Amino acid sequence: MVKIEIPPEHPRAESLRIREKLVENFETGAVAIAGLIAHGRGEAFDYLIGEKTTEPALKAIRAAAAALLTAKNPVISVNGNTAALSAKEIVDLAKIVNAKVEVNLFYRSCERELAIKKLLEDAGAEEILGVGEDASARIPELGSERRRVDPRGILIADVVLVPLEDGDRTEALVKMGKKVIAVDLNPLSRTAQTASITIVDNVVRAMPMLVKTASELKGESLENLQEILSNYNNKEVLAESVNLILQRLSEIAKTGKYIELGGGGDGI
Ligand code: ATP
Ligand code: MG
């Protein structure tokens, strides 16, 4: 692969670096080709929220940290894009909240599972569930390969963090009685709409913030954590995200000018 030099002064340097990371991990087999397209759809929504962690996202992150810290069997479900973009944060978060890490893919292949496992191990993970024959259990109502889960992980989990998940799998996990935490830039997706806690933010910003928040809340009493959870209303928080987009768009509609970044093109 020809490596593209990204000039640091490029107005969208960060966004280009993220793309490069995904392309590199596509080459190693960790990221599926459809994962590249999925990222593009996410980027479009990132423009709409202003490419920063919003207030409603911070509320969801706090609730997510409380849910993970109070869970009996928390699991972080990892796919190619998440491993490519957030391997270190996945490992750090799993240690803080004592969660298991499970590879769980839409496009399952042995090669992809092993490439993801390697990314996680390189980031310091010790035990990784869901690889190969370990994913021997099935979740109901889903097509063959997509329903496979590890009987030690997602199958018995009470709280599952699924940064970047597909809508009908989110729905299936919720139907199984699990609390599902999703990270999804699109507040309108079925994932966002069906999850128990939806963090409408880019995974590259949400995961470090979730790690920070979880370590801050770790010292809190069980009572305080439960209070954070009972005060959280996902429908309200999603509505706040949509309202924020509306407000931003109506501001931009007055001048026709995109505000935050000065509107540099991608150059690719
Ligand atoms: P759903 O399956 O939930 O109905 P969908 O089919 O539109 O929604 P998928 O193709 O399953 O969505 O997944 C792509 C979605 O993942 C994007 O729309 C985007 O919101 C989200 N996404 C992609 N990259 C990121 C990212 N880096 N951070 C957060 N969300 C992302
Ligand atoms: Mg989908």
Side-chain angles (χ1 to χ4, degrees):
M1 185 186 94
V2 183
K3 197 140 175 37
I4 302 160
E5 280 302 318
I6 300 166
E9 71 285 1
H10 191 291
R12 305 204 61 79
E14 184 53 24
S15 153
L16 295 179
R17 270 194 293 272
I18 295 168
R19 284 187 180 183
E20 276 301 291
K21 238 190 222 177
L22 287 169
V23 171
E24 273 166 36
N25 284 286
F26 168 71
E27 305 275 325
T28 69
V31 170
I33 195 156
L36 301 178
I37 300 169
H39 182 75
R41 194 185 277 169
E43 282 181 334
F45 282 95
D46 214 0
Y47 263 77
L48 298 181
I49 66 165
E51 292 169 285
K52 58 176 198 283
T53 303
T54 63
E55 276 303 315
L58 285 172
K59 283 187 195 169
I61 287 171
R62 213 172 141 73
L68 288 165
L69 286 166
T70 53
K72 264 210 190 86
N73 291 309
V75 173
I76 306 175
S77 172
V78 183
N79 66 10
N81 285 38
T82 328
L85 299 179
S86 306
K88 188 181 172 302
E89 287 78 12
I90 289 162
V91 174
D92 290 351
L93 183 65
K95 286 192 179 136
I96 294 165
V97 304
N98 208 4
K100 296 203 171 107
V101 175
E102 176 165 343
V103 176
N104 196 254
L105 305 179
F106 194 104
Y107 298 98
R108 199 172 258 285
S109 80
C110 190
E111 186 207 12
R112 177 153 307 118
E113 286 169 12
L114 292 175
I116 293 170
K117 186 171 183 241
K118 182 170 184 322
L119 277 172
L120 292 166
E121 280 173 348
D122 289 350
E126 279 151 28
E127 193 189 21
I128 298 153
L129 306 184
V131 177
E133 291 312 307
D134 286 351
S136 58
R138 305 278 183 273
I139 49 177
E141 297 175 57
L142 283 178
S144 57
E145 285 310 289
R146 302 175 47 217
R147 58 198 283 207
R148 290 175 51 175
V149 288
D150 195 309
R152 299 163 299 166
I154 291 176
L155 189 76
I156 56 160
D158 52 348
V159 176
V160 191
L161 169 64
V162 285
L164 315 186
E165 184 52 283
D166 177 55
D168 53 347
R169 289 214 303 196
T170 306
E171 206 172 349
L173 292 173
V174 170
K175 274 197 183 150
M176 286 172 80
K178 300 176 192 307
K179 199 181 276 279
V180 178
I181 305 163
V183 181
D184 193 331
L185 276 160
N186 175 7
L188 311 177
S189 75
R190 285 171 309 141
T191 302
Q193 297 279 319
T194 27
S196 324
I197 298 172
T198 310
I199 303 168
V200 179
D201 198 12
N202 198 317
V203 80
V204 302
R205 295 187 300 264
M207 287 302 291
M209 188 54 89
L210 186 52
V211 169
K212 183 169 172 275
T213 310
S215 59
E216 282 166 8
L217 290 182
K218 202 175 166 153
E220 290 288 334
S221 66
L222 183 63
E223 206 184 7
N224 285 353
L225 294 173
Q226 280 166 343
E227 197 181 321
I228 293 174
L229 274 178
S230 60
N231 287 336
Y232 181 80
N233 180 325
N234 204 47
K235 287 277 167 291
E236 261 172 41
V237 172
L238 275 174
E240 283 174 32
S241 287
V242 175
N243 257 313
L244 203 131
I245 291 173
L246 264 176
Q247 280 163 23
R248 278 179 50 78
L249 287 181
S250 75
E251 279 301 309
I252 297 166
K254 282 184 201 149
T255 58
K257 251 186 156 165
Y258 180 62
I259 338 149
E260 252 79 19
L261 285 171
D266 265 350
I268 286 182

